[in-house]
Amino acid sequence: MIQNTYKSLLLILAVCFSFSVSAQKKELTIEEGIMGYWSLYPEYKSVLWIPESKGFYSETDENQILKVNAKKGTSEVLITLDDIKASNSDLSNLSRLPRYRWLNAKEMMFQYQKAFYKIDIETKQSQKVIDVKGDNADFTSDFSKIAYTIDNNLYISVDGKETQITDEKNKEIEFGKVVHRNEFGVHKGTYWSPKGNAIAFYRNDQTMVTDYPLVDISTVPAQANPIKYPMAGQKSEEVTLHVYNVNTKLTTPIKTTGDKEQYLTNIVWSPDEKYVYIGILNRDQNHLALNQYEAETGDFVKTLFEEKDDKYLSLTHPMEFLPNSNDKFIWRSERDGFEHVYLYNTDGEELAQLTKGDWVVMDIIGFDKKKQNLFVLGTDNNGLDREIYKANLKSKSVKKITTLFGVYSSVKYDESSNLILASFSNIDTPNKQFVMDVNGKVIKTIMEAKNPLEGYNVSNIELSTIKAADGKTDLNTRMIKPANFDPAKKYPVIVYVYGGPGVQLITNRWQAGAAYWMQTAAQKGYIVYTVESRGSENRGKEFEQATHLHLGDEEVADQLKGVDYLKSLPYVDADRMAIHGWSFGGFMTTSLMTKAAGIFKVGVAGGPVMDWDFYEVMYTERYMSTPQKNPEGYANARLLDKTTLLKDKLLIIHGLIDDVVVPQHSFRFLQECVNNGVQVDFFTYPGHPHNVRGKDRIHLMNKVLDYIDQNI
């Protein structure tokens, strides 16, 4: 009897001690999670190879730049902030080390205010190389020339002398700017030739594209601030490519033919500057021709090859020439079901498939010193991991060289030392950075970050899988339980959803891709759950194309499988479930609150697509074709006529100047709610576009969680 009493006393003390330790831990607030980037996110050192030096740079807290010998680990101070400030009177007010890049082992380049400076590490002398003017600045590799736009026209500056390349008075025709709304891997509007003797640039005629009337309320009275916004099935922009020769000062149009609304993608110069290559994609986005044109005349030379797909193509990476080669290049394609690397010559002959397997190439790292192996970053572990692979060009063999399960990132190969720099993270590892040899062996650990959430009352994150609605496909899931989880209790759930193309929410990295507000919600007593449904990114073509022509069907069915799993858990309160998502996630939230009404007691839909007729041409037509060709698919996905299905509390949030998912989506949904006598809640962020960033995000996430608290 005494022994049992003693055991009970020990158990009580242990429970009290556990509660006391937990109580002593700090709560992670929304404010800290959003604004506390430097203190609450894992430590990361800025390191990069110094060209031809067998070493990499590192920075100290004393504002010193060190050169570290990659193999020995010894270091020396190369330059300090004081050295940089003293090198030029223009730089005397620098308060911290600038962001820089190495030109060679002795010189580095950096930007300060509106100019670029080059500094000699040995002499500690710097000089201003070029002033930054206008917008969309683009530099040659040696920073001797710069291209930029002013209003809708293109300019270049060579040795400080400005030349206006275009002189277009019609503001609806733009030069040198991003086209196709940043789709297809297009992220800029100008492309310098390798030696800087010429520049290719886009001309974008938007005269036929409708204006969308955004409103600027910061003025009195408010002013119209219209944007060009081509909606699905409507007239799109007409884009051409032109080449300006710096020496002859002549501009030549590249003679592309075909549909005026086709997409000009993957712009690349040949290493000898004789040719320009363009991936020409049809508006249906299922047929691409890789074409070669003469840079001097603009004449068409030949089509190297064509890619076709019965649904759509996802070709977002340009051809990449092999080092020191004018006629061999690598090309990335999903033709075998997963994105892999192929070797071609400029005659259009496929020489080899360099990588293969049921995994996706995420990035090209580079070729080794002898140009015999290609290093790539690719997925593993059902898409959760990012590993380093080595593909041999001669044997065509592919080998994964990394051994840790997780996400490798910032991977850089150095030819002079034949070594690799990499960062690593997984669900249990905040961040590690190390030097590896070309077989994946760690030579030196540069740093190992401490857990930045140590001392906070946060939860472990659980990764798992469930079966999709098709009964065969594995879907990745992420669960965050309350910090003091008790399996004997029942907890409310917040399902966080995206579910659409081009995004992957869950990876095997620190916090598994979860935002810190989810930990705050878990502290408040919620289980936070996410399912990566079919249609999302980095799982191969079949997985991604499962939703083609009927967005919102398979994704909803897969999310409901997640709900079924949650309901099977004894600690889940199925009567207190909420759902939240933004953008495509807002579309999914509203879809589930209507098409599957009664399951979620509350939903918060941010920036939601309510009708795909209102969304832009490039994205929508890839996945849904046009409203004219796919009326059934558009009708089924349309939420404007489904307001009467809504049973529970729904808050819609939209940025007033959203130029991605334009506000018309939410306002039309509100109008239909009014027409049908359906109550719904709404909030707008007047000064924000598609995402609410900065300090206002604190307001946003507090509003989301407060609304869920009040209604669950």
Side-chain angles (χ1 to χ4, degrees), residues 231-234 283 549-551 587 595 609-617 619-642:
M231 291 185 175
Q234 298 181 11
R283 180 163 168 171
L549 298 181
H550 50 92
L551 292 179
F587 163 68
K595 292 181 178 180
V609 174
M610 297 298 196
D611 190 332
W612 288 102
D613 287 72
F614 304 163
Y615 200 58
E616 53 98 341
V617 166
Y619 180 100
T620 308
E621 293 181 5
R622 182 183 314 132
Y623 306 113
M624 290 286 282
S625 186
T626 65
Q628 296 87 345
K629 295 179 181 178
N630 183 25
E632 183 180 349
Y634 277 79
N636 190 51
R638 186 173 299 120
L639 300 174
L640 301 181
D641 58 359
K642 298 176 178 62

Side-chain angles (χ1 to χ4, degrees), residues 390-414:
K390 180 168 65 174
N392 186 275
L393 272 65
K394 186 176 181 180
S395 68
K396 312 301 184 294
S397 62
V398 184
K399 177 185 178 183
K400 183 174 70 173
I401 65 172
T402 43
T403 56
L404 299 175
F405 293 101
V407 172
Y408 289 84
S409 61
S410 302
V411 183
K412 303 294 181 184
Y413 169 77
D414 176 54

Side-chain angles (χ1 to χ4, degrees), residues 40 144 325 654 667:
L40 285 181
S144 65
S325 175
H654 218 117
F667 286 120

Side-chain angles (χ1 to χ4, degrees), residues 68-244:
V68 182
N69 184 291
K71 290 185 177 179
K72 298 178 181 178
T74 56
S75 64
E76 60 176 307
V77 177
L78 289 180
I79 198 167
T80 68
L81 174 61
D82 289 338
D83 292 332
I84 297 173
K85 292 170 66 175
S87 71
N88 192 303
S89 59
D90 293 344
L91 306 172
S92 59
N93 291 326
L94 267 174
S95 59
R96 57 183 175 83
L97 288 171
R99 297 180 65 181
Y100 49 89
R101 57 171 288 185
W102 293 94
L103 296 177
N104 51 58
K106 296 181 180 180
E107 294 179 310
M108 65 182 193
M109 184 78 68
F110 61 89
Q111 183 177 359
Y112 177 60
Q113 295 181 345
K114 286 288 188 176
F116 271 87
Y117 295 82
K118 181 168 64 176
I119 189 165
D120 187 298
I121 300 301
E122 295 180 346
T123 67
K124 307 296 190 289
Q125 296 299 306
S126 68
Q127 63 183 77
K128 183 163 68 172
V129 176
I130 199 164
D131 287 310
V132 180
K133 299 181 180 180
D135 299 314
N136 304 297
D138 186 20
F139 303 89
T140 54
S141 58
D142 63 357
F143 286 80
S144 65
K145 304 177 183 71
I146 177 176
Y148 49 92
T149 61
I150 298 177
D151 292 329
N152 60 316
N153 283 299
L154 177 66
Y155 297 73
I156 67 168
S157 178
V158 180
D159 297 327
K161 182 179 179 181
E162 181 179 87
T163 301
Q164 183 172 349
I165 305 303
T166 66
D167 185 17
E168 176 60 60
K169 300 298 188 288
N170 187 340
K171 301 295 185 182
E172 296 184 339
I173 300 175
E174 296 183 332
F175 294 87
K177 295 185 179 183
V178 171
V179 299
H180 308 324
R181 295 186 62 82
N182 292 90
E183 296 286 344
F184 320 113
V186 178
H187 302 301
K188 61 177 188 172
T190 53
Y191 301 85
W192 283 104
S193 63
K195 299 173 185 177
N197 291 312
I199 185 169
F201 59 92
Y202 284 120
R203 177 187 186 271
N204 188 7
D205 184 352
Q206 300 181 92
T207 56
M208 67 294 298
V209 178
T210 55
D211 290 335
Y212 187 87
L214 294 177
V215 178
D216 178 5
I217 66 166
S218 65
T219 63
V220 181
Q223 293 182 348
N225 186 24
I227 60 170
K228 290 293 183 179
Y229 195 92
M231 291 185 175
Q234 298 181 11
K235 288 292 294 181
S236 186
E237 61 194 26
E238 297 178 3
V239 174
T240 53
L241 192 76
H242 302 255
V243 171
Y244 176 79

Side-chain angles (χ1 to χ4, degrees), residues 223-338:
Q223 293 182 348
N225 186 24
I227 60 170
K228 290 293 183 179
Y229 195 92
M231 291 185 175
Q234 298 181 11
K235 288 292 294 181
S236 186
E237 61 194 26
E238 297 178 3
V239 174
T240 53
L241 192 76
H242 302 255
V243 171
Y244 176 79
N245 187 299
V246 175
N247 300 313
T248 66
K249 297 180 173 51
L250 296 176
T251 298
T252 303
I254 299 297
K255 298 170 185 174
T256 53
T257 59
D259 183 1
K260 291 182 178 180
E261 295 181 335
Q262 65 193 0
Y263 304 115
L264 306 189
T265 72
N266 302 293
I267 309 299
V268 171
W269 281 89
S270 63
D272 60 10
E273 300 187 320
K274 291 182 179 180
Y275 303 105
V276 175
Y277 295 89
I278 308 175
I280 297 188
L281 181 68
N282 65 336
R283 180 163 168 171
D284 287 340
Q285 301 186 46
N286 56 15
H287 182 191
L288 180 135
L290 183 60
N291 289 348
Q292 180 186 35
Y293 299 88
E294 284 187 351
E296 185 176 353
T297 64
D299 290 340
F300 170 77
V301 179
K302 63 176 177 291
T303 297
L304 275 66
F305 57 81
E306 298 175 72
E307 292 245 11
K308 296 180 181 180
D309 192 275
D310 58 356
K311 292 184 174 68
Y312 59 84
L313 293 166
S314 292
L315 297 170
T316 59
H317 304 284
M319 62 196 290
E320 187 173 331
F321 280 89
L322 269 60
N324 304 315
S325 175
N326 278 318
D327 63 350
K328 291 187 178 63
F329 64 92
I330 53 178
W331 177 258
R332 291 162 69 172
S333 171
E334 286 186 318
R335 68 186 60 163
D336 74 346
F338 293 84

